[in-house]
Amino acid sequence: DAGVIQSPRHEVTEMGQEVTLRCKPISGHDYLFWYRQTMMRGLELLIYFNNNVPIDDSGMPEDRFSAKMPNASFSTLKIQPSEPRDSAVYFCASQAAGYNQPQHFGDGTRLSIL
Amino acid sequence: AQSVTQLGSHVSVSEGALVLLRCNYSSSVPPYLFWYVQYPNQGLQLLLKYTSAATLVKGINGFEAEFKKSETSFHLTKPSAHMSDAAEYFCAVSEANAGKSTFGDGTTLTVKP
């Protein structure tokens, strides 16, 4: 079975540009999570969805960040405008229903804002 | 509210030595507990999980963890470290009314030849 698929794997762009990260969760999974990982701050939960509905976006750092899940098989995380401090690895994870289920992570998008 | 504390952000062992990574949790209800491993340039992947069936849980790559309710701990061990075990390890807790798992800050394991 295919795992969680993220694209692009790497993104380098200039400050001020719009960045869109994409995620395809595992089919049948009800939950989708977006994380950010940096050396300084570690792994941070940004937002998560249940059945395509955003449940908790308290980790979204600023209004420049937005996330959508238009259907069960696709989600985007958008940064507009981007800033150098947004440079990080962004992970998407999905999970089947049930709090005893593990999260399945994608390989991440390494984002560099120049 | 659920929380996890991983004691020691960095652990270094020699190849062949015992690996012990510590995790303590806080939960208001019986929890489910997980250990994940992250290799360089990869996402986190599940090592093992505790779901109340047995207190000693065996995972992949020779790792195991023991759930100790009296100590609120779920430490990860491996009898003999291998160079390929070098990675970052995350402990996570999940409870029914939380809606999601809470991850610890991670422990980086270095294995010396």
Side-chain angles (χ1 to χ4, degrees):
Chain A
D1 286 341
V4 175
I5 300 172
Q6 292 187 245
S7 64
R9 287 297 314 275
H10 303 273
E11 174 91 11
V12 180
T13 191
E14 292 190 348
M15 176 179 171
Q17 297 297 306
E18 178 179 291
V19 173
T20 299
L21 311 181
R22 297 172 176 80
C23 175
K24 178 179 171 58
I26 293 173
S27 177
H29 280 191
D30 294 332
Y31 289 86
L32 185 137
F33 305 83
W34 281 101
Y35 292 89
R36 178 172 68 175
Q37 187 177 39
T38 61
M39 290 290 290
M40 290 295 293
R41 302 171 74 96
L43 188 69
E44 303 174 275
L45 176 64
L46 300 178
I47 184 171
Y48 78 98
F49 297 81
N50 182 20
N51 292 322
N52 314 336
V53 176
I55 302 301
D56 184 356
D57 66 353
S58 60
M60 296 285 262
E62 302 171 32
D63 292 345
R64 297 184 296 105
F65 286 69
S66 62
K68 294 182 179 180
M69 192 164 186
N71 57 61
S73 58
F74 184 66
S75 178
T76 60
L77 178 67
K78 188 171 293 188
I79 309 173
Q80 166 63 17
S82 58
E83 297 183 4
R85 59 193 167 124
D86 302 331
S87 298
V89 181
Y90 290 81
F91 289 103
C92 174
S94 70
Q95 180 191 317
Y99 63 99
N100 60 342
Q101 297 298 314
Q103 294 183 22
H104 298 256
F105 284 73
D107 284 334
T109 295
R110 184 172 297 274
L111 177 64
S112 297
I113 308 297
L114 306 177
Chain B
Q2 59 186 27
S3 67
V4 164
T5 301
Q6 292 185 239
L7 300 175
S9 58
H10 291 85
V11 170
S12 180
V13 301
S14 297
E15 191 173 19
L18 171 72
V19 176
L20 172 60
L21 305 182
R22 300 177 188 272
C23 172
N24 288 88
Y25 70 91
S26 173
S27 176
S28 56
V29 298
Y32 288 108
L33 295 157
F34 307 85
W35 275 100
Y36 293 82
V37 61
Q38 184 181 26
Y39 299 106
N41 300 314
Q42 294 185 24
L44 283 68
Q45 55 184 273
L46 182 69
L47 256 184
L48 50 81
K49 67 176 182 179
Y50 166 74
T51 58
S52 76
T55 57
L56 183 63
V57 182
K58 295 187 184 299
I60 61 173
N61 301 335
F63 283 93
E64 62 182 35
E66 186 172 9
F67 173 71
K68 293 187 176 180
K69 184 178 178 180
S70 61
E71 299 177 8
T72 61
S73 69
F74 190 56
H75 301 332
L76 182 70
T77 61
K78 182 174 180 178
S80 176
H82 192 273
M83 297 296 289
S84 61
D85 295 327
E88 189 163 17
Y89 292 79
F90 292 87
C91 182
V93 63
S94 178
E95 57 184 44
N97 57 359
K100 61 176 176 61
S101 293
T102 297
F103 285 79
D105 291 335
T107 297
T108 299
L109 175 66
T110 302
V111 182
K112 299 176 292 184

